Amino acid sequence: MVITRKRVLIVDDDEQSRKAFDGLLRSLGYDTVFAKDGEDAIDVLAFDAGFDLIVTDLIMPHMTGFDFTQRLKAHFRTMNIPVIVTSAFHDWHRTIDKRDLVVDGFIAKPVEREALMKVLDRVLMGRQGG
């Protein structure tokens, strides 16, 4: 039996945040790929939509996490990939109409291992095919 590691696309304009998520996700057994913003992530997904999860920052230049998620969910190849939004702006949900932001989870920055594990378990539960 071959066990495939889950693949996560990390979308964040801040290198330190990408490295933090990379370290935590790799320590939990995930493979990671980076994109520096929403536009970069769209380019990555055009060639490879085989991700089990996307973690995206909400506030980024060029294309926000909000705009990126809307485009992601509008395309048949990527619409079923679960999305976790991350932000240092803890009250993000008060300024954005959540009906327009279809996400599977939220985690605040700076990310903590236990909080990340809890969100990953909830978001990926039921998506354990391999």
Side-chain angles (χ1 to χ4, degrees):
M1 180 169 131
V2 176
I3 297 175
T4 305
R5 290 169 53 113
K6 298 232 179 267
R7 296 180 68 224
V8 179
L9 176 60
I10 302 168
V11 186
D12 200 311
D13 61 311
D14 181 68
E15 183 177 0
Q16 188 174 12
S17 292
R18 287 192 307 263
K19 286 181 179 181
F21 273 105
D22 178 53
L24 286 171
L25 288 164
R26 286 187 177 277
S27 75
L28 295 170
Y30 294 86
D31 287 332
T32 58
V33 174
F34 303 118
K36 65 183 181 307
D37 58 35
E39 290 177 352
D40 191 28
I42 294 293
D43 290 343
V44 169
L45 291 163
F47 291 101
D48 181 4
F51 290 93
D52 298 291
L53 176 70
I54 296 173
V55 175
T56 183
D57 188 21
L58 189 61
I59 308 300
M60 296 181 290
H62 310 293
M63 182 186 295
T64 66
F66 176 74
D67 295 331
F68 165 67
T69 301
Q70 283 187 320
R71 287 191 55 187
L72 179 80
K73 295 299 183 178
H75 196 280
F76 74 95
R77 288 184 65 222
T78 57
M79 65 191 314
N80 293 318
I81 302 173
V83 177
I84 296 174
V85 169
T86 182
S87 181
F89 181 51
H90 296 247
D91 288 337
W92 70 276
H93 60 281
R94 294 175 193 236
T95 59
I96 294 175
D97 188 342
K98 287 190 271 188
R99 292 173 298 175
D100 295 329
L101 183 61
V102 182
V103 298
D104 299 277
F106 173 79
I107 189 159
K109 289 181 184 178
V111 62
E112 296 177 1
R113 182 182 173 91
E114 293 300 319
L116 179 61
M117 288 172 55
K118 185 176 181 179
V119 171
L120 290 171
D121 284 346
R122 184 179 56 74
V123 170
L124 294 175
M125 199 158 89
R127 300 177 189 260
Q128 297 299 321

